[in-house]
Amino acid sequence: LLVMLVLVLGTGMALADLPATARLLALAAVALALLLGCQAIIRVFHEQRDLARGARQEAEALREQARIDPVTGLANRIGFDLALAQLAQNLAPGEKLVLMWMDLRGFKQTNDLLGHRTGDEVLQTMAKRIRQEAPPQAALARFATDEFLIAARVASRSQAELLATAIADAAAQPMRIAGHRIAGGAWLGAALMPDDAAGPGTLAEAADLALYHAKSTRRNAVRFFAEAMTRDMVRRKEIEADLRTALQRDDLTIAFQPIIDLESGHIRAFEALVRWIHPAKGEIQPDDFIPVAEETGLIIALGNWITAEAARIANGWPGDVGLAVNLSPVQIKAPGAAAGILAALAEARLDPARLELEVTEALFVEDDPGTAAFMHELAQHGVRFALDDFGTGHSSLRHIHHYPFSTLKLDRSLISGASSGPRSDAVIRAVAEMGQTLGMEIVAEGLETIDQVLGARAAGCTLGQGWHFSRAVPDYTAAMMLAEEAERRGAAVSPAPARKAG
Ligand code: C2E
Ligand code: CA
Ligand code: CA
């Protein structure tokens, strides 16, 4: 504009001395220049406006992208938090907000085994199922690889429960992807606002805690938040902290419970059972702290110590007495697990053939090829395996065929527990018969009375363990029991010299 003004003024002054035609021409030129100048200005203005509009749209798209999970098209965590806040704000009186936190079962294995593309399809299938079950106004998200969040307004707790069950049932259906049959399944934790939480933040915490409890049941499970879960969490945190200290301070010991040959009555092996006497709180039961150790990964350090220490003690026993050690699934899944056990045996100079590792069927809940590799590697060195707690949970004969088990331990609930009786007697007989055919040892656990011992033997169990014979005892008592037995056996084999000496 300044340039044009100068141009007009300049031309005006210069024109005064020129003839009329020249003046006219000059004026026309100035007018043209002015027109062109204006056009240019308008063009620049339009360009600037379009640029600004494009940038705004791009920013909007980026913001949108930042809230959406590209794999499933559901929201991501950020998008979900925004939607959750809105749902929470618009809650009508008497209405509730349910938040469900879902974690897929076995997804990581599928992803590792069949590739990321198949993994993505599993996530997409799950997202589709959730969309189908959830009400239209629900907020849905996928984040942290295989976790889903579902938030919806509901009229009542029972409506929330129905919704959670419907979603879990849909997720549990198997699916066929790229020619593979993939098992479904998920854990689901849920919490309600205002019942369990005052705001969206605490609602998510409550749902997360409920999910954690759902997972500890190891089955497809839906759990709703309960007040007791908070107390339980506090207690677990306490156990975890105490256990770390105990490991450092050597507050843990190992007790040994004999496993008896039901035919000869001799000690065949000892099972190593960890013991923890807390300096202030007294004895803490393995059933209370082993699960905490498993969840926190502490079981790896603890388990390595138990195997090494038990092997060192077993090295002092006669060569025909075996050692049984419990192994938790978490230990087996740790990298270098088999090598670690072989190293512990070498260090203790214990023949691998004297070690029997006890595992439960929880190990097979997720069909992990690493499990078979672990077992076969150790079996090659002579280590044996026992299937522990058989008859609880999801017992399946498939596991006995697929994995190199040489021993089956019948859970004490079948022998002396609430579910013992004529029905379990039939189970024991059938299992013992199968064991005989397959050349397996069958151990009856929890033998507390002589009647139970005689019953187990009559049913075909080859070994027995329980308070009738002995509780788990300190290592020096175990050594004494072995010495006494050697003396008895010596006396039984050669009674004559003993009499001569007397
Ligand atoms: P489990 O492997 O089934 O061990 C047998 C449990 O039954 C032991 O309880 C033992 O003391 C108890 N028991 C033995 N005989 C009888 C009986 O006649 N009657 C009754 N009522 N109980 C009997 P404990 O020592 O409390 O161990 C509980 C569980 O904790 C074990 O069950 C095992 O799953 C786990 N555990 C114990 N020590 C270890 C360990 O060193 N490592 C791992 N990973 N788990 C362990
Ligand atoms: Ca055991
Ligand atoms: Ca057992």
Side-chain angles (χ1 to χ4, degrees):
L1 275 171
L2 204 68
V3 171
M4 281 183 213
L5 204 66
V6 170
L7 207 69
V8 171
L9 285 176
T11 348
M13 281 191 297
L15 289 184
D17 312 329
L18 287 179
T21 35
R23 231 186 280 175
L24 215 65
L25 266 173
L27 270 175
V30 168
L32 190 71
L34 276 173
L35 196 72
L36 288 175
C38 279
Q39 263 182 344
I41 287 172
I42 290 169
R43 201 172 46 242
V44 168
F45 173 76
H46 277 292
E47 273 171 13
Q48 288 298 331
R49 198 193 53 192
D50 288 352
L51 227 62
R53 193 182 285 159
R56 247 201 327 272
Q57 277 167 350
E58 217 165 282
E60 187 56 40
L62 276 174
R63 257 202 301 278
E64 184 77 1
Q65 261 171 37
R67 285 189 234 123
I68 290 201
D69 160 41
V71 177
T72 60
L74 302 182
N76 62 17
R77 192 64 209 264
I78 299 169
F80 183 81
D81 285 346
L82 288 169
L84 181 67
Q86 251 172 15
L87 279 173
Q89 253 174 13
N90 300 333
L91 218 55
E95 216 176 22
K96 295 179 195 299
L97 179 59
V98 63
L99 175 59
M100 292 172 255
W101 196 317
M102 191 168 116
D103 193 345
L104 299 190
R105 259 184 48 181
F107 177 77
K108 291 190 176 70
Q109 278 91 329
T110 308
N111 216 22
D112 291 348
L113 225 70
L114 303 175
H116 289 251
R117 196 171 297 174
T118 309
D120 282 357
E121 282 190 50
V122 171
L123 295 174
Q124 283 152 5
T125 307
M126 285 298 181
K128 203 168 128 203
R129 291 175 180 181
I130 293 171
R131 260 203 208 98
Q132 270 163 2
E133 299 300 332
Q137 40 83 3
L140 310 175
R142 198 273 309 203
F143 72 107
T145 313
D146 62 346
E147 295 185 22
F148 290 87
L149 290 169
I150 301 118
R153 294 201 303 258
V154 287
S156 62
R157 176 172 288 266
S158 55
Q159 195 194 342
E161 284 168 356
L162 281 175
L163 182 58
T165 316
I167 291 174
D169 285 350
Q173 300 306 314
M175 57 196 105
R176 186 162 278 285
I177 290 169
H180 300 285
R181 186 186 186 275
I182 295 165
W187 294 281
L188 200 151
L192 287 161
M193 197 183 118
D195 309 35
D196 309 322
T202 39
L203 182 63
E205 272 170 35
D208 188 20
L209 200 53
L211 172 64
Y212 167 87
H213 278 263
K215 279 176 154 180
S216 61
T217 61
R218 294 181 196 276
R219 265 178 280 124
N220 287 345
V222 175
R223 288 294 293 271
F224 271 71
F225 174 82
E227 205 47 61
M229 289 180 181
T230 316
R231 286 196 299 275
D232 196 57
M233 187 52 106
V234 171
R235 198 184 57 95
R236 277 166 184 264
K237 285 257 175 295
E238 218 176 83
I239 288 181
E240 182 190 345
D242 285 354
L243 191 55
R244 281 184 201 281
T245 320
L247 269 166
Q248 277 163 6
R249 281 205 322 216
D250 273 346
D251 279 347
L252 297 156
T253 55
I254 302 174
F256 296 89
Q257 188 177 34
I259 299 173
I260 307 293
D261 186 320
L262 290 181
E263 213 43 62
S264 67
H266 297 152
I267 297 172
R268 180 74 79 79
F270 281 97
E271 178 177 358
L273 294 161
V274 67
R275 292 290 175 259
W276 179 13
I277 314 281
H278 190 286
K281 296 170 189 163
E283 177 156 13
I284 301 178
Q285 298 301 320
D287 284 336
D288 288 333
F289 70 84
I290 295 283
V292 178
E294 287 179 334
E295 277 150 26
T296 53
L298 276 173
I299 192 73
I300 294 171
L302 177 62
N304 287 345
W305 175 78
I306 292 168
T307 311
E309 180 71 3
R312 190 184 63 75
I313 291 166
N315 187 32
W317 304 336
D320 61 347
V321 178
L323 169 69
V325 173
N326 293 285
L327 215 56
S328 88
V330 186
Q331 274 175 276
I332 294 170
K333 291 188 170 112
I341 288 166
L342 291 172
L345 289 173
E347 171 90 21
R349 294 209 192 81
L350 191 77
D351 179 1
R354 287 176 65 190
L355 180 67
E356 186 159 79
L357 295 173
E358 298 192 358
V359 299
T360 65
E361 283 164 312
L363 186 59
F364 308 109
V365 167
E366 287 174 13
D367 249 326
D368 183 356
T371 303
F374 168 88
M375 290 178 74
H376 286 292
E377 184 178 348
L378 287 172
Q380 257 169 13
H381 288 84
V383 175
R384 282 166 304 122
F385 286 90
L387 187 54
D388 203 355
D389 301 346
F390 191 81
T392 60
H394 10 57
S395 296
S396 157
L397 297 180
R398 197 170 67 88
H399 303 143
I400 298 163
H401 286 291
H402 274 63
Y403 300 94
F405 285 111
S406 35
T407 305
L408 224 147
K409 298 190 82 173
L410 292 171
D411 192 69
R412 68 168 181 269
S413 60
L414 289 173
I415 311 285
S416 50
S419 52
S420 62
R423 271 187 82 83
S424 62
D425 285 352
V427 172
I428 296 168
R429 263 199 304 280
V431 171
E433 197 176 314
M434 179 200 67
Q436 212 169 28
T437 321
L438 295 175
M440 295 173 90
E441 301 275 10
I442 307 294
V443 186
E445 286 189 312
L447 296 175
E448 292 180 354
T449 66
I450 183 69
D451 287 343
Q452 286 163 355
V453 174
L454 294 175
R457 195 174 68 171
C461 296
T462 52
L463 301 170
Q465 182 180 2
W467 296 347
H468 170 74
F469 299 112
S470 166
R471 296 202 177 221
V473 296
D475 57 349
Y476 49 85
T477 309
M480 211 167 68
M481 287 165 78
L482 286 169
E484 278 171 10
E485 186 174 285
E487 219 169 85
R488 269 201 313 275
R489 282 166 85 171
V493 170
S494 49
R499 234 178 268 137
K500 230 187 265 167

